[in-house]
């Protein structure tokens, strides 16, 4: 990665840590970050019951160890403790992430073409998911 990408990522993390409407969860082992997830609470006055799950990621060398599932359990527990009963998220359509979210109980709402850019800059369809949480 180029230095500019690292600097931007660092600024994004610092901004997330300072944001009072966002929770940043990190999975680490032996002081190495293995994964992270963000929970962003709705700012709409009629939507204080919902939040968006953003930027779920697990390091390539840590995949297959259940870290993503553990992060999602932590996200959902944090949401429940905050009074959130509805979570939603987006991911790139046609990826392993879609299989993962469906396996942990998220319902697919649909797909939007050209929703976001992949790391190589190409536009990719976004898959939208939600999950209702019990109290």
């Amino acid at each position: 990665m180029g230095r500019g990408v690292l600097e931007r990522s660092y600024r994004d993390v610092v901004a997330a840590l300072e944001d009072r409407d966002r929770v940043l969860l990190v999975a680490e082992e032996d002081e190495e970050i293995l994964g992270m997830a963000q929970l962003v609470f709705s700012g709409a006055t009629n939507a204080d019951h919902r939040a968006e799950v953003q930027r779920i990621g697990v390091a390539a060398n840590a995949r297959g160890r259940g870290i993503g599932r553990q992060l999602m359990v932590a996200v959902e527990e944090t949401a429940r403790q905050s009074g959130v009963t509805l979570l939603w998220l987006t991911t790139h359509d046609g990826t392993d992430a879609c299989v993962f979210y469906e396996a942990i109980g998220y319902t697919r709402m649909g797909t939007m073409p050209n929703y976001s850019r992949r790391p190589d800059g190409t536009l990719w369809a976004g898959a939208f998911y939600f999950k209702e949480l019990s109290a």
Side-chain angles (χ1 to χ4, degrees):
M1 268 192 249
R3 184 172 171 82
V5 172
L6 290 174
E7 289 173 356
R8 183 179 53 110
S9 296
Y10 175 77
R11 285 193 310 270
D12 291 346
V13 169
V14 170
L17 291 171
E18 293 173 348
D19 189 342
R20 295 186 189 275
D21 295 325
R22 176 182 310 259
V23 174
L24 176 66
L25 301 165
V26 176
E28 63 180 320
E29 181 178 79
D30 299 325
E31 298 183 11
E32 178 185 359
I33 295 176
L34 302 179
M36 54 88 60
Q38 294 182 40
L39 180 65
V40 180
F41 300 98
S42 173
T45 56
N46 66 344
D48 60 351
H49 66 290
R50 76 171 185 238
E52 180 183 4
V53 180
Q54 290 185 350
R55 293 181 176 81
I56 304 298
V58 176
N61 65 344
R63 292 187 182 150
R65 295 176 42 192
I67 293 167
R69 284 182 186 270
Q70 292 174 36
L71 281 167
M72 291 304 291
V73 166
V75 162
E76 291 174 12
E77 182 57 30
T78 300
R80 278 187 197 92
Q81 290 173 359
S82 300
V84 169
T85 57
L86 179 65
L87 292 177
W88 71 280
L89 60 87
T90 62
T91 192
H92 290 117
D93 189 35
T95 62
D96 290 341
C98 293
V99 175
F100 171 72
Y101 292 122
E102 290 170 19
I104 61 171
Y106 282 73
T107 301
R108 186 183 183 108
M109 292 185 291
T111 305
M112 183 183 297
N114 299 322
Y115 181 72
S116 61
R117 292 196 186 279
R118 300 280 294 189
D120 67 3
T122 58
L123 289 173
W124 202 269
F128 290 72
Y129 288 88
F130 74 93
K131 185 174 187 179
E132 291 188 282
L133 302 176
S134 57

